[in-house]
Amino acid sequence: MVNPPELAPAIGFSHAVAAGPGRTVYLGGQAGIHPDGTVDPKATLVEQFDLALANMVTTLTAAGAAPEHLVTVTVFATDAEQYRESLKELGAVWRRHLGKHYPAMAFFEVKGLFDPAALVELTGVAVVP
């Protein structure tokens, strides 16, 4: 189990699970959660996506992986229309954190996320060569 000290404490989940000798890393849900465990209820979808990606990269690094090792990412958002309308900004945020690495992806609109203030959450799997 990988739970970087820079992130909110993992209570009832792990930020990532490195299976085997560090070759496969399963990322737990990464939302726009600050290190103190809070989500800014005034943050926009793009701002939360930015922080969620930053948390994903922090977790990957702590697990001995890097963004280019991601093989799949799943996006859960509470408003698909807002997500689609923000694609240009979301793409810029993605490239800032992950470069032009685009793993297999899926998107799901959900009624809500664990933290009621969260608008987006990401999960993923990385394979370290």
Side-chain angles (χ1 to χ4, degrees):
M1 303 301 146
V2 179
N3 294 298
E6 300 88 354
L7 299 181
I11 300 171
F13 67 95
S14 290
H15 286 287
V17 177
R23 298 194 54 86
T24 304
V25 178
Y26 300 89
L27 295 165
Q30 300 297 318
I33 299 175
H34 295 279
D36 65 1
T38 63
V39 174
D40 180 357
K42 296 178 183 175
T44 66
L45 174 75
V46 172
E47 291 167 337
Q48 287 193 20
F49 187 78
D50 190 5
L51 184 52
L53 276 178
N55 289 343
M56 179 176 271
V57 171
T58 297
T59 302
L60 282 168
T61 301
E68 61 268 20
H69 297 139
L70 284 167
V71 294
T72 185
V73 171
T74 303
V75 178
F76 301 92
T78 58
D79 188 334
E81 183 177 342
Q82 183 182 24
Y83 188 90
R84 285 189 294 272
E85 290 172 357
S86 303
L87 283 178
K88 185 175 180 179
E89 295 165 287
L90 293 168
V93 168
W94 178 278
R95 288 184 298 280
R96 188 162 22 84
H97 289 285
L98 304 177
K100 291 187 177 183
H101 177 69
Y102 303 106
M105 293 185 66
F107 173 88
F108 297 93
E109 181 178 40
V110 294
K111 182 178 177 181
L113 296 163
F114 183 77
D115 188 305
L119 303 174
V120 65
E121 188 166 323
L122 310 171
T123 65
V125 177
V127 176
V128 182

